[in-house]
Amino acid sequence: MATTDAGLVSDAHEQPGHGHSDHGHGDHDHPSYLAHHFDTPEQQFDSGKLGMWLFLVTEVLFFSGMFCAYAIFRAWRPEVFEGCSQFLNTKLGAINTGVLLFSSFTMAWGVRCAQKEQHKLLTAMLATTLSCATMFLGVKAIEYSHKWHLGLLPAGLFSYDPSNPHPVGGPNYLAYICAPFVVITAAVAVWLVVSFLRGAKFQFECAKPLMVVCLCFFVGVGLGTILESGGDEGHHEDGHAVVAAVDGEHGAAADHGEGHSHEKEGEHAEHAEASEAEAVVELPPAGAMVNQSTDLAVIERLASDATNTGLQDELAARRAQSQRSGGGILYDVTDDTAATIASAPEDVLRPSRAGVFFSIYYCMTGIHAIHILAGIGVLVWLLVRSIRQDFNRNYFGPVDYVGLYWHIVDMIWIYLFPLMYLIR
């Protein structure tokens, strides 16, 4: 019997899973929020944060490539970027910037609430952050649908017609964009009603903030509609109606000329006589030796008359020759303050050029919107867990990691807004 007992004791020590583990404690000593491959909550938090920072570095590198493309194309065609930027509604961009900045504040507050185990306040902060995200997408839906309707599309699809800046008919792009959100909102509303009728308290508590989040998308749509329609007059003056500025200037000049034709004829006659007098007085005698500066001064004086186009061209050629001889770089400059789309619509609004701007615009803002959608998905996951009270002062890592991600998404938009909307 003694031998048998000794053998059982020996077998018990040899069998895995009995007695003490290699770490000195069993799996039952681990809290539910501590993964089995970590010894302490601090180790788990630091490891997760390191991994999150590595992921954010890849995100920065990803967007850096697009920012480099933006810089190259803008340096190549600055007039195209300045002209096409007038089609972007600065008010909508500014509203979205303020919304995202406020969402960063609520997200940071939510991290603090998780650390202090303020579960209800954490749920409210996460719901507010989600509401700001959906409001951002609502405003962006108005912005995108309006541009698609005008034909301001990427290269290869660009079809904007300056002679018809407000095309009638066409697909209802806003309805297409809003359709998924309408379906989701209806599903959440059904879930809210069913959970209330069934007395499912946890599901009802989850559906309430999510319903508010879904409705905020349509708040953004309404806000964007008001700003887009209210700013149409000024916006079209900057973007669409400026295309007719050249014709308007020519028409005004023609009207002015008809009204004051006799005065103009008299003035031109006086200028012609003055020019002839200056030519007789100022021009050196034939065969005389004069230096180059004196000759240039005479030409400049004679070229001040608008009718002496030949001397104006000669003066420009001499200045260009002088600048080249001095090793300078010649730029195609103009003193026309309206020299954007109005002065050269055939150049700025050429699909091969304007399409490049809108390709970069949709690429950068579209990928940013995709990151917003990804953040919404993760924030909904955090919202459900906060209602379940999964977070405490020893376990708040997921909230902190998502907060870092959300801040980097907001920071990218802070760069996108001035680079796209505030060029002019």
Side-chain angles (χ1 to χ4, degrees):
M1 180 65 65
T3 305
T4 303
D5 293 340
L8 291 174
V9 173
S10 177
D11 291 340
H13 284 288
E14 292 177 359
Q15 290 177 358
H18 294 272
H20 296 283
S21 64
D22 296 334
H23 295 290
H25 52 78
D27 292 340
H28 60 276
D29 293 333
H30 277 227
S32 59
Y33 55 80
L34 184 62
H36 69 279
H37 51 281
F38 293 112
D39 292 332
T40 61
E42 292 80 7
Q43 184 187 27
Q44 179 175 258
F45 175 79
D46 293 339
S47 299
K49 198 158 191 175
L50 176 62
M52 193 64 201
W53 275 114
L54 292 176
F55 170 73
L56 295 181
V57 168
T58 64
E59 288 291 296
V60 171
L61 293 175
F62 176 70
F63 276 95
S64 296
M66 290 184 284
F67 280 112
C68 288
Y70 170 90
I72 293 172
F73 281 103
R74 180 174 174 180
W76 188 18
R77 295 290 185 187
E79 72 282 357
V80 174
F81 275 66
E82 181 179 354
C84 292
S85 176
Q86 298 186 37
F87 288 98
L88 305 184
N89 194 317
T90 307
K91 293 181 180 179
L92 296 182
I95 288 294
N96 270 347
T97 302
V99 167
L100 286 185
L101 288 175
F102 182 73
S103 70
S104 284
F105 166 71
T106 56
M107 188 69 233
W109 194 352
V111 174
R112 183 58 178 166
C113 293
Q115 294 172 343
K116 299 179 67 175
E117 299 184 1
Q118 298 174 344
H119 302 293
K120 291 185 177 181
L121 191 56
L122 170 61
T123 302
M125 291 300 104
L126 293 176
T128 305
T129 305
L130 279 166
S131 300
C132 292
T134 54
M135 188 180 298
F136 175 92
L137 294 178
V139 175
K140 186 59 67 176
I142 292 295
E143 191 174 1
Y144 274 8
S145 61
H146 184 256
K147 289 176 178 56
W148 295 349
H149 179 70
L150 297 178
L152 301 172
L153 299 170
L157 301 174
F158 187 86
S159 59
Y160 177 75
D161 185 6
S163 62
N164 184 23
H166 302 286
V168 179
N172 191 346
Y173 295 108
L174 181 60
Y176 296 154
I177 297 175
C178 294
F181 294 93
V182 171
V183 173
I184 294 174
T185 304
V188 173
V190 171
W191 182 28
L192 179 66
V193 174
V194 171
S195 60
F196 175 76
L197 295 177
R198 295 179 58 184
K201 184 177 180 181
F202 175 74
Q203 295 184 9
F204 181 71
E205 292 297 326
C206 293
K208 280 194 303 183
L210 290 179
M211 190 65 201
V212 176
V213 169
C214 293
L215 292 177
C216 282
F217 172 82
F218 301 99
V219 172
V221 172
L223 180 60
T225 303
I226 294 173
L227 293 177
E228 188 70 47
S229 60
D232 269 347
E233 296 180 359
H235 180 56
H236 294 158
E237 288 179 0
D238 291 341
H240 311 318
V242 293
V243 177
V246 176
D247 296 335
E249 290 175 1
H250 289 309
D255 296 338
H256 189 270
E258 292 177 359
H260 305 278
S261 57
H262 298 291
E263 296 179 3
K264 291 296 182 181
E265 290 177 359
E267 292 177 0
H268 283 304
E270 293 177 1
H271 282 300
E273 293 175 359
S275 299
E276 292 176 359
E278 289 178 355
V280 172
V281 175
E282 298 295 341
L283 283 176
M289 299 297 294
V290 294
N291 56 38
Q292 185 177 0
S293 61
T294 304
D295 193 11
L296 184 61
V298 173
I299 294 177
E300 287 179 350
R301 188 171 182 179
L302 295 177
S304 61
D305 184 7
T307 60
N308 294 332
T309 57
L311 287 178
Q312 291 176 356
D313 294 338
E314 182 180 353
L315 179 62
R318 290 200 177 198
R319 288 175 175 173
Q321 182 180 4
S322 176
Q323 195 168 0
R324 288 193 187 95
S325 62
I329 301 176
L330 296 179
Y331 296 94
D332 184 13
V333 297
T334 176
D335 57 354
D336 183 10
T337 58
T340 54
I341 300 176
S343 62
E346 68 280 1
D347 292 332
V348 174
L349 292 179
R350 188 182 302 172
S352 61
R353 295 184 179 181
V356 171
F357 171 83
F358 285 102
S359 295
I360 296 176
Y361 166 77
Y362 286 118
C363 181
M364 300 184 75
T365 60
I367 292 179
H368 178 267
I370 292 175
H371 281 73
I372 293 286
L373 288 172
I376 289 175
V378 183
L379 284 169
V380 170
W381 171 67
L382 289 181
L383 180 66
V384 174
R385 296 194 64 183
S386 69
I387 295 174
R388 201 166 55 194
Q389 299 185 2
D390 288 348
F391 305 114
N392 54 62
R393 57 176 51 104
N394 291 321
Y395 178 66
F396 56 89
V399 183
D400 190 73
Y401 308 151
V402 175
L404 289 176
Y405 171 82
W406 194 253
H407 295 326
I408 201 72
V409 171
D410 293 354
M411 186 183 71
I412 290 172
W413 177 260
I414 291 174
Y415 284 97
L416 287 178
F417 173 61
L419 290 177
M420 291 292 182
Y421 295 80
L422 305 181
I423 296 178
R424 60 190 182 277

